Amino acid sequence: MEFQEVVRRRRMVRRYADRPVAPESVDRLLANATRGPSAGFTQGWAFLVLDTPADVDLFWTATSPEAPPTVEEGRSPVSKPTTWLDGMRTAPVVIVPMSDKGAYLDRYAEADKRTPDWPVPYWHMDVAMASLLILQTAVDEGLGACFFGVPGARIDAFRAAFDVPPNLKPVGAITVGHRADDTGSPGSPARRPRRSGVVHRGRFSS
């Protein structure tokens, strides 16, 4: 697929068809992710791939916030489902990109580098760029994908479920699968126009 077509067609997919993703497609997503740029070529990232029903179910159990119960007359409290979560749970693959801050501190303590003042957390930035490569490669593979955040209150449960080392921090998670014909409730782009006037040449005043 032409690059501009990949960019044009990329969007967050929130519901997936009941079809498996080819292992070679997953491998290509990850191979391209590790081709992303990184400060000092630190490559302080890790990617947890969950591609079995048991592991995917465990991910959702560990990371989903508890829904507030709804009480119906004469019945016990039940958890209220959300369309978003129900749709996302249909993905057969979840990839969790994680950053390692310590790897960057160690790299920039080496002789060919000097310790920067880190105006932004480049360890997160690099993993975010790797995540975008996953999203774009998914389009090129004829797949859908969605990047979303892992609730902060559920990070410890996620770590425990998958034996994640303490030096790694999940930057988010990415669902991957074949797009469903029924994509469910539309996302924000269906309700909000794309902003204009965000490019400034030379000065903001011009």
Side-chain angles (χ1 to χ4, degrees):
M1 190 181 297
E2 291 292 331
F3 178 72
Q4 283 302 127
E5 185 67 4
V6 169
V7 173
R8 186 187 70 81
R9 293 181 58 180
R10 199 236 27 99
R11 68 181 183 85
M12 299 300 189
V13 174
R14 297 170 175 82
R15 185 171 292 273
Y16 301 87
D18 186 16
R19 294 168 53 195
V21 174
E24 55 268 27
S25 292
V26 177
D27 290 344
R28 185 167 176 243
L29 299 179
L30 297 162
N32 285 356
T34 60
R35 298 289 297 182
S38 67
F41 205 45
T42 301
Q43 306 164 81
W45 46 43
F47 304 89
L48 177 66
V49 182
L50 307 173
D51 56 4
T52 68
D55 280 345
V56 171
D57 286 347
L58 180 59
F59 171 82
W60 291 115
T61 298
T63 62
S64 297
E66 295 182 3
T70 58
V71 180
E72 297 182 20
E73 186 175 356
R75 297 183 61 184
S76 300
V78 296
S79 294
K80 183 178 180 181
T82 66
T83 301
W84 180 87
L85 186 55
D86 287 347
M88 295 288 274
R89 282 177 178 268
T90 62
V93 177
V94 177
I95 299 173
V96 185
M98 291 175 275
S99 65
D100 182 357
K101 177 180 178 179
Y104 287 78
L105 299 182
D106 291 344
R107 172 70 182 100
Y108 277 79
E110 294 178 11
D112 66 325
K113 291 292 182 183
R114 62 179 182 179
T115 304
D117 59 2
W118 301 115
V120 295
Y122 283 105
W123 40 95
H124 297 333
M125 292 287 296
D126 291 347
V127 175
M129 287 189 278
S131 298
L132 180 57
L133 285 171
I134 292 175
L135 297 176
Q136 290 181 320
T137 304
V139 175
D140 198 45
E141 288 286 304
L143 300 168
C146 183
F147 181 94
F148 59 100
V150 176
R154 307 299 299 177
I155 296 295
D156 287 344
F158 165 76
R159 289 186 184 281
F162 297 104
D163 300 323
V164 177
N167 60 300
L168 297 177
K169 179 167 185 171
V171 172
I174 303 170
T175 48
V176 180
H178 294 274
R179 297 180 185 222
D181 292 334
D182 176 15
T183 57
S185 59
S188 296
R191 302 187 300 269
R192 294 170 56 87
R194 191 172 297 278
R195 290 180 61 196
S196 60
V198 296
V199 177
H200 305 271
R201 300 184 184 278
R203 291 172 176 74
F204 269 77
S205 58
S206 57

